Amino acid sequence: MSATTVFLVIFLYFLFLMFISYLTSEKGENQSNAFFTANRSSKWYLVAYGMVGATLSGVTFISVPGMVAKSGWSYLQFMMGNMVGYALIAYLLIPLFYSKKLISIYQYLKSRFGIVSYKTGSFFFLVSQTIGAAFRLYLAAMVLQIAFFDAFNIPFAVSVLITILLIWLYTFKGGIKTIVWTDTLQTTFLILAAVWTIYTIASSLGMNPASMLSTVAESEMSNVFVWDWKAGNFFWKQFLAGVFITISMNGLDQNIMQKNLTCKSVGEAQKNVLWFALAFFFATVVFLVLGVLLYEYTSYHGIQVPERSDELYPLLALNHFGLFTAVVFLLGITAAAFSSADSALTALTTAFCIDFLGMDEKEQDNNRKRKMVHLGFSFVLFLVIVGFRVLNDDTVVSSVFKAAGYTYGPLLGLFVYGIYSKRQVKDRFVVYLCLLSPVLSYIINLYSKELFAGYQFGFEILLVNALITIIGLRVLTLKNNTVNK
């Protein structure tokens, strides 16, 4: 694909996003209200559909198809847990957050424990979301760099700056109200890219729908269940991790919950979560089917599989499937990059403005301050992504991303203890507990083989992290002091 074609695709895509931003941005005095909550008037089905693309992100778009050769379809075990996790979010967290009319979900911690717990919870979100969003955008930016920017000798730092500037331009005014609509567009391109690639491969291999499904079903790469309890992808480890990671990284994540809270009622928000969960599950199945077919294609045509599985889909899409499929793939990876970064940028701005600056959605003099915060976090994302590039070690970058995930353990512990216990705690010590918990969890994970007869933790280390936080909160409990929730 020529660099000119790539430029035209990205340019037209961005113009479309700007047009959506213009249509959805608040023109009057309620810009902050629209930015933070979309005036709580979003249609639940639009939110549900758009969240599929934002949740898939570039990591899923590139990584899930490539990983089937190593781990098969065992990822579905995790997704089964996700379904349970989303049901708990719908019927436990959604009613709680709506009843308190929250803008930032971490405001709950202030009413439950105190100001230190509140700031600590929001700070942990800001750290994890910044690193997580930067990591996802970094992967997508690498593909765009190879496909376009290298042809013009544009440095990686400049290409990232341009990408983030484009995102800032269509989100700085409309915020979450714009995101709800742009996510809908971006989900469409993500799914379209996967479905069209499947069609392209099937046609190339002479498969009809029945034979394609038969090939996928009979492949050794389509095995779902793993029952070896020592394996990192053992069923119950994956399933339980899916439940609690969903609760932590979706239900207790401002990025995701801010979209849910734009629905006009609890009932509509619950429908949004449940239908989104179902759509997300089937979208993941589509990418797993794609993964099997990608390897079938390389085997049939004698194409050497790259050492890094993340490179498989981009390699084939850009070089072997023809121009139209390459364009569709480029739209998909661009949508993945933008959908994960734009909502993260909006959520980071919201959390900082509400939790640390004490802004109120109804105050009319907040627009300038909010825009400055939005610009500031855009620059922070830029610095983190460039920092990943300077490291120039994918293993280190991936480790930083995984380390950021440890911050969700204390959040899970704080919310679980807050919801199921009526006891008040020594609020001023909570920050130290939340810093200690991830460190202890990391050490336990590092020496798990020696400590637990060869057992290796996977995603479920999050539960250990949360449990340490809960035990610590119990230790910090004030005597004879309860709170009415």
Side-chain angles (χ1 to χ4, degrees), residues 54 57 106 121-137 248-250 252-259 339-349 351 377 380-381 384-385 388 400-401 403-405 407-408 411:
S57 78
Y106 310 109
S122 184
F123 172 77
F124 271 49
F125 162 74
L126 292 175
V127 172
S128 57
Q129 188 66 203
T130 299
I131 295 175
F135 177 76
R136 290 186 287 271
L137 189 55
S248 302
M249 300 184 72
N250 289 273
L252 304 180
D253 186 298
Q254 179 68 22
N255 186 4
I256 299 298
M257 292 307 293
Q258 187 171 358
K259 297 171 186 175
S339 65
S340 60
D342 57 15
S343 58
L345 188 55
T346 301
L348 288 167
T349 302
F377 272 110
V380 170
L381 278 180
V384 175
I385 294 170
F388 285 163
V400 172
F401 175 64
T407 60
Y408 284 98
L411 280 175

Side-chain angles (χ1 to χ4, degrees), residues 83-223:
M83 301 293 282
V84 176
Y86 284 121
L88 292 172
I89 290 172
Y91 292 107
L92 179 62
L93 294 180
I94 290 290
L96 174 66
F97 295 153
Y98 264 85
S99 67
K100 295 184 176 296
K101 299 180 180 179
L102 303 181
I103 302 173
S104 165
I105 61 174
Y106 310 109
Q107 291 173 304
Y108 168 77
L109 298 176
K110 180 180 180 181
S111 63
R112 179 60 184 85
F113 295 124
I115 191 69
V116 174
S117 299
Y118 168 42
K119 302 286 188 184
T120 300
S122 184
F123 172 77
F124 271 49
F125 162 74
L126 292 175
V127 172
S128 57
Q129 188 66 203
T130 299
I131 295 175
F135 177 76
R136 290 186 287 271
L137 189 55
Y138 169 75
L139 291 180
M142 292 287 287
V143 176
L144 294 176
Q145 182 72 26
I146 295 170
F148 173 68
F149 292 108
D150 279 347
F152 297 95
N153 296 316
I154 298 175
F156 182 76
V158 176
S159 65
V160 170
L161 185 63
I162 292 171
T163 301
I164 292 178
L165 177 62
L166 294 178
I167 293 170
W168 182 82
L169 283 173
Y170 74 82
T171 60
F172 83 98
K173 191 173 183 181
I176 196 64
K177 187 175 181 180
T178 296
I179 296 301
V180 168
W181 285 94
T182 56
D183 276 358
T184 302
L185 172 70
Q186 288 162 172
T187 295
T188 300
F189 283 121
L190 275 167
I191 302 301
L192 176 63
V195 171
W196 180 259
T197 306
I198 289 173
Y199 171 78
T200 301
I201 295 173
S203 299
S204 173
L205 300 180
M207 297 178 179
N208 57 38
S211 61
M212 181 193 72
L213 293 176
S214 176
T215 299
V216 172
E218 294 171 4
S219 173
E220 293 182 356
M221 290 181 285
S222 298
N223 294 328

Side-chain angles (χ1 to χ4, degrees), residues 20 32 83 99 117 149 155 175 180 251 281 326 344 350 353-354 380 419 452 457-458 463:
I20 293 175
S32 291
M83 301 293 282
S99 67
S117 299
F149 292 108
V180 168
F281 184 89
T350 299
C353 287
I354 301 298
V380 170
I419 293 170
F452 305 106
F457 283 102
L463 302 181

Side-chain angles (χ1 to χ4, degrees), residues 269-322:
Q270 289 174 324
K271 284 193 292 185
N272 157 53
V273 172
L274 296 176
W275 279 102
F276 153 71
L278 189 63
F280 182 48
F281 184 89
F282 283 107
T284 303
V285 171
V286 169
F287 279 94
L288 290 171
V289 169
L290 172 60
V292 174
L293 293 177
L294 288 173
Y295 283 102
E296 290 288 336
Y297 184 90
T298 58
S299 176
Y300 183 85
H301 290 284
I303 299 172
Q304 184 176 357
V305 176
E307 291 185 13
R308 294 183 65 243
S309 62
D310 287 353
E311 297 175 359
L312 178 64
Y313 188 16
L315 170 71
L316 296 179
L318 294 174
N319 299 289
H320 294 274
F321 293 158

